[in-house]
Every structure is written in structure tokens, then in C-alpha cells.
Amino acid sequence: MLFMILAHDKPDSVDLRMANRPAHLDYIKGAGNRIKVAGPILSPGDDPKPVGSMIIIDAASEGAVRLFAENDPYATAGLFEAVEIKPWKAVAGDWIPA
């Protein structure tokens, strides 16, 4: 089943995010094809900055997704102010199997 992880950074935490980005990317890549899409949420304006993360992951249960989210290097570094996990359904896009 697909789930969306929506994580909101604490205010003024770009430096913390950047310091932990290599470990976070390794963690995401280590999940292999379970990750369907992932990337930062950006602030509005002419000079957007990352203010959170969005990940679509294929997992057996919400509990498995919560464990994955809790072990993300961004989470263990204390970057996130809030994390939401929601079931998600893909309905359009080139990566969706026919």
C-alpha cells in the first residue's frame, strides 16, 4: 500500500537540514524501489528554501512507515516540527503501472 509522509521542518532549520542531507539521501536511496517519489517542500517566493519533506512510500502498514520516518536521519537530528503519515492512492503519472 502507498503512504505519504509529509514532514514539516522546525522554523529556521535550513542549516540543520543541509548538515544532515547526505545521510538522509543515503537513507532514502537505501529503501530502493519502495520509494516512489520524494523531495523537499519549498517555501514560496523568488528564493525558495526547503521547509519540509514529502515522500511516497510503498509499505505493508502504517506502522512500518512510521518506523521508517522515525529512523530518517532528518528525524533523528530533530529537524521536523511535525510529521503526518497518510494512506495515498496514485491515479495518474508515468511511473504508475497500467
Side-chain angles (χ1 to χ4, degrees):
M1 179 172 193
L2 295 176
F3 292 87
M4 175 189 64
I5 302 170
L6 187 60
H8 304 275
D9 294 0
K10 292 177 181 172
D12 303 314
S13 58
V14 172
D15 290 341
L16 180 60
R17 172 179 276 274
M18 292 299 110
N20 289 280
R21 187 172 186 267
H24 164 75
L25 292 177
D26 287 345
Y27 185 71
I28 294 296
K29 289 174 186 171
N33 66 359
R34 292 184 305 144
I35 302 296
K36 302 307 178 190
V37 66
I41 301 165
L42 301 177
S43 64
D46 293 334
D47 186 25
K49 304 284 187 227
V51 295
S53 297
M54 193 278 301
I55 300 168
I56 302 297
I57 185 170
D58 191 357
S61 68
E62 185 174 334
V65 177
R66 187 156 309 281
L67 186 62
F68 179 83
E70 289 170 353
N71 286 295
D72 184 321
Y74 280 165
T76 60
L79 175 64
F80 299 134
E81 181 174 62
V83 176
E84 299 174 66
I85 296 172
K86 303 282 185 185
W88 189 81
K89 182 176 181 177
V91 296
D94 291 342
W95 61 272
I96 300 169

